[in-house]
Amino acid sequence: MNNNIVAIVGRPNVGKSTLFNRLIQRREAIVDSVSGVTRDRNYGKSEWNGKEFSVIDTGGYVRGSDDVFEGEIRKQVELAIDEADVIIFVVDVEEGITPMDETVAKLLRKVTKPVLLAVNKVDNAMREKDAIEFYNLGLGDYYTFASISGSGTGDLLDALIDAFPEKPEVEVKEDLPRFAVVGRPNAGKSSFINALIGQDRYIVTDIAGTTRDAIDTKFDRFGFEFNLVDTAGIRRKAKVKEDLEFYSVMRSVRAIEHADICILVIDATRGFEGQDQSIFWLAEKNRKGVVILVNKWDLVEKDTMSTRDYEEKIKKELMPFTDVPILFVSALTKQRLLKALEATVQVFENRKQRIATSKFNEYMLKVIEAYPPPATKGKYVKIKYCMQLPTQTPQFVFFANMPQYVKEPYKRYLENKIRENWDFAGVPIDIYIREK
């Protein structure tokens, strides 16, 4: 449950992203990295020696010309210091210590968290000697590696695993669903939670993890019972610039990984922005259920088409996963808040529903017969049997004579047919084609 977050920091072009890509492709147990608007690879999961952790590449979030870089990097490092459990500071042996490296090192020297100094592009004995100068950064021992060939990354990962803090196990009533309220800063997450809990504060227990973890609030009202994971209240730092995309994503990582359903609150007056998309894809990649609440709807000027137009715009951004409940609410006037709760509980039910194999075959085999997989190189694919896998999230397997010829568009067709016949709104579905 207590997943660790690792942030990779450093100035541009030292190989942060190459190291990030190497880490997240390390094992088969890895989830794809999440994509933002620019489809940057910024977030991924990795595993080493049986320990799973999340990796955030700050490089993908720093944009702008060279003169903008320094200020941006300082912000990223401050955020990483705030939110990550371990920080990997990447430097480049070819260029030696630069003024920007010194700036980052100065920030990191004040930190009580583990900082691993990783010297990149060390691929021979000569460069191993050159790396000694990095002792001058005042961060103690360093680890040499070459992110392109991968040499040295094993030692770095061993040190990383050893550096993870011991976290107390948080006991949560397992049978209660966990709903995380996520979204960009100032979208109205706190107002939404306060409107739900009400002035009387119908709270039974507050279960806190470590100080940086989201806080679980047991919600028992209006006939609903669940744990509410609030990301809005997690340590808010005055120095953190509120509008950073990186800030929202780092805040959301932990909450999303620990939740069953994510309630994504967006600001109606601002539209469905890049940060909202990043958080949505984060939830989707982690196979969580999602409900989108368009908050502050009372502040938007409307005509008869408003909600439909707005919904269409959002769905366009969510392609191909468009089967997501979108509700228009106002935390301030408490408009449609109960509907929002009903939709969230419904998505939770959808996520855990099981379809009997006989019923599933009866329907899906007719669908496949009506529109079989297209022939490739004169070879015809035949699917004779299918079933739902006994997994936590909806996964379906179809057994075929030549699974390698079944391509993505056909898998999407199968998914659409499943969604047409069974309610999986708000829930990502996995389709596997296996040899019979």
Side-chain angles (χ1 to χ4, degrees):
M1 276 298 257
N2 289 318
N3 209 354
N4 288 292
I5 296 181
V6 177
I8 302 174
V9 303
R11 62 184 172 78
N13 307 321
V14 286
K16 295 190 297 295
S17 295
T18 322
L19 173 63
F20 171 78
N21 289 342
R22 183 161 286 285
L23 292 188
I24 64 160
Q25 287 159 3
R26 185 113 226 131
R27 292 286 155 96
E28 285 173 280
I30 288 157
V31 180
D32 270 354
S33 52
V34 79
S35 37
V37 209
T38 52
R39 306 285 158 186
D40 274 337
R41 297 160 68 85
N42 300 135
Y43 159 86
K45 275 187 169 174
S46 186
E47 180 256 336
W48 184 255
N49 288 348
K51 281 209 176 180
E52 211 182 59
F53 54 94
S54 300
V55 194
I56 301 213
D57 167 24
T58 63
Y61 293 97
V62 179
R63 302 185 183 94
S65 57
D66 284 350
D67 55 332
V68 177
F69 271 136
E70 198 159 342
E72 285 294 309
I73 288 160
R74 188 179 282 111
K75 281 182 222 157
Q76 307 299 13
V77 174
E78 284 174 355
L79 279 167
I81 289 168
D82 259 13
E83 301 296 334
D85 295 294
V86 180
I87 297 155
I88 298 178
F89 173 26
V90 183
V91 290
D92 178 349
V93 75
E94 282 180 7
E95 294 190 35
I97 295 175
T98 69
M100 217 186 283
D101 290 331
E102 285 174 343
T103 306
V104 175
K106 192 176 170 189
L107 287 167
L108 294 176
R109 281 199 297 272
K110 301 171 188 163
V111 178
T112 53
K113 291 177 185 178
V115 175
L116 304 181
L117 177 59
V119 185
N120 192 14
K121 304 181 189 173
V122 180
D123 46 17
N124 60 46
M126 195 62 218
R127 287 187 167 177
E128 198 71 56
K129 284 180 191 163
D130 293 342
I132 291 171
E133 77 159 299
F134 289 99
Y135 273 123
N136 294 326
L137 288 174
L139 291 167
D141 286 337
Y142 56 82
Y143 299 86
T144 58
F145 75 106
S147 59
I148 289 181
S149 67
S151 70
T153 43
D155 292 341
L156 177 63
L157 280 163
D158 287 343
L160 178 67
I161 298 300
D162 290 342
F164 285 149
E166 282 296 315
K167 293 188 179 182
E169 281 300 315
V170 178
E171 276 191 45
V172 178
K173 246 179 101 180
E174 282 307 316
D175 53 345
L176 280 189
R178 306 187 75 203
F179 300 161
V181 182
V182 294
R184 60 185 306 286
N186 307 322
K189 299 187 294 296
S190 299
S191 316
F192 171 70
I193 288 161
N194 291 341
L196 280 189
I197 293 169
Q199 290 311 302
D200 309 316
R201 292 187 70 78
Y202 283 73
I203 299 172
V204 184
T205 47
D206 271 356
I207 310 157
T210 58
T211 43
R212 263 171 298 109
D213 283 343
I215 285 179
D216 273 21
T217 301
K218 187 177 170 198
F219 183 94
D220 187 357
R221 211 173 169 194
F222 311 123
F224 299 110
E225 196 181 0
F226 52 83
N227 279 318
L228 201 59
V229 186
D230 169 15
T231 56
I234 308 176
R235 296 194 316 165
R236 198 176 283 279
K237 290 267 178 161
K239 67 181 179 185
V240 168
K241 197 162 181 301
E242 291 285 3
D243 60 2
L244 270 175
E245 175 173 1
F246 184 63
Y247 169 89
S248 311
V249 176
M250 276 202 95
R251 275 290 148 103
S252 307
V253 168
R254 225 182 282 266
I256 287 172
E257 288 178 344
H258 288 45
D260 297 303
I261 309 297
C262 298
I263 301 171
L264 173 56
V265 181
I266 71 169
D267 182 341
T269 61
R270 298 186 66 146
F272 193 62
E273 299 184 309
Q275 283 161 287
D276 302 314
Q277 287 185 44
S278 293
I279 295 167
F280 175 84
W281 291 115
L282 196 64
E284 192 267 348
K285 293 286 183 200
N286 276 285
R287 304 334 252 166
K288 307 298 182 182
V290 187
V291 175
I292 295 175
L293 301 188
V294 183
N295 188 28
K296 308 186 188 177
W297 192 240
D298 51 318
L299 303 180
V300 175
E301 284 187 30
K302 303 167 205 48
D303 54 40
T304 48
M305 286 283 282
S306 286
T307 50
R308 200 189 317 162
D309 288 351
Y310 210 101
E311 199 169 318
E312 285 308 312
K313 268 187 199 162
I314 293 175
K315 287 193 169 173
K316 204 172 164 190
E317 301 289 353
L318 302 184
M319 299 281 284
F321 181 32
T322 56
D323 188 12
V324 178
I326 299 170
L327 287 95
F328 296 84
V329 304
S330 165
L332 196 66
T333 65
K334 302 196 173 165
Q335 184 185 11
R336 283 190 281 277
L337 290 195
L338 272 179
K339 269 209 163 56
L341 282 187
E342 282 165 9
T344 308
V345 170
Q346 185 56 53
V347 169
F348 177 73
E349 294 301 326
N350 295 351
R351 190 168 178 257
K352 61 177 195 179
Q353 76 170 309
R354 295 281 171 265
I355 303 165
T357 304
S358 55
K359 277 189 177 170
F360 191 59
N361 275 277
E362 188 186 329
Y363 175 76
M364 290 308 293
L365 293 180
K366 280 179 190 160
V367 161
I368 292 162
E369 200 180 327
Y371 177 56
T376 310
K377 299 175 187 167
K379 295 187 162 108
Y380 291 91
V381 180
K382 289 187 176 64
I383 296 172
K384 295 286 185 196
Y385 181 72
C386 50
M387 64 185 282
Q388 183 174 3
L389 294 169
T391 47
Q392 272 191 321
T393 60
Q395 298 185 338
F396 299 92
V397 62
F398 291 80
F399 294 95
N401 55 344
M402 291 178 284
Q404 68 275 27
Y405 293 124
V406 180
K407 303 291 179 230
E408 270 317 305
Y410 195 75
K411 284 188 190 175
R412 262 206 297 281
Y413 164 75
L414 293 175
E415 180 181 336
N416 291 340
K417 288 296 174 190
I418 292 170
R419 289 186 185 280
E420 273 174 33
N421 203 48
W422 291 281
D423 187 0
F424 282 105
V427 185
I429 286 178
D430 289 307
I431 303 275
Y432 300 104
I433 313 289
R434 296 276 181 266
E435 198 148 357
K436 61 181 182 188

